[in-house]
Amino acid sequence: MARILALDYGTKRTGIAVTDELQIIASGLTTVETKSLISFLQTYVSQENVELFIIGEPKQMNNEASESEASISKFLKTLERTFPHIPIHRVDERFTSKMAFQTMIDSGLSKKQRRNKALVDEISATIILQSYLYNRS
């Protein structure tokens, strides 16, 4: 089997999470500046076998697309062109940032550590990926 890679896409930073090769465990990988994201993914995919991209889908409470969906749609076109052999699946990401922040509190991280937005993005990507793994069966 191959890894599944999840992205919590943002205009400044993107959190990245990945499964193990058996696709059992979702783990945070890193957060990268979005302007370097495609380059990072090209390097990662050249070194690891990735069979699926999971991309967070931000929605409003009324189930309509959020404002950030426009920039995500543009990114998705680039991702599809760059990696035509890797399918893309979208996962509702409502509340993932709040869940990530709560996870940081529950883990005992200090206020200073909880201000680390890159860590919040990485944890959010992990929650998105875990949600996909849980719901796919």
Side-chain angles (χ1 to χ4, degrees):
M1 292 181 92
R3 297 179 189 278
I4 298 172
L5 196 107
L7 304 174
D8 180 28
Y9 183 87
T11 54
K12 293 180 184 179
R13 290 174 312 281
T14 298
I16 304 172
V18 68
T19 64
D20 59 302
E21 290 179 345
L22 297 176
Q23 300 178 2
I24 297 170
I25 299 169
S27 302
L29 181 63
T30 190
T31 301
V32 299
E33 289 184 27
T34 298
K35 64 183 179 184
S36 306
L37 181 57
I38 292 294
S39 174
F40 174 88
L41 292 174
Q42 287 173 318
T43 301
Y44 188 83
V45 168
S46 73
Q47 297 170 353
E48 296 288 343
N49 189 10
V50 175
E51 76 174 37
L52 178 65
F53 289 122
I54 304 295
I55 312 295
E57 184 174 16
K59 293 183 178 184
Q60 297 177 7
M61 292 305 296
N62 63 3
N63 218 27
E64 291 181 11
S66 75
E67 295 173 15
S68 58
E69 184 61 29
S71 60
I72 294 172
S73 294
K74 185 177 174 184
F75 167 73
L76 287 174
K77 290 176 183 162
T78 302
L79 188 66
E80 288 170 344
R81 276 193 311 272
T82 308
F83 304 100
H85 61 288
I86 301 177
I88 299 168
H89 182 80
R90 302 293 303 274
V91 171
D92 186 346
E93 69 170 46
R94 278 181 283 196
F95 308 115
T96 55
S97 292
K98 289 180 181 173
M99 291 167 59
F101 191 74
Q102 187 61 48
T103 299
M104 295 170 83
I105 290 170
D106 294 346
S107 299
L109 295 179
S110 68
K111 280 188 178 185
K112 183 178 180 182
Q113 291 169 311
R114 293 191 307 253
R115 286 189 207 112
N116 181 349
K117 292 186 188 316
L119 182 57
V120 172
D121 293 339
E122 183 179 327
I123 294 171
S124 293
T126 307
I127 292 169
I128 291 166
L129 183 52
Q130 190 62 52
S131 172
Y132 169 79
L133 293 174
Y134 181 78
N135 291 312
R136 74 176 171 174
S137 29

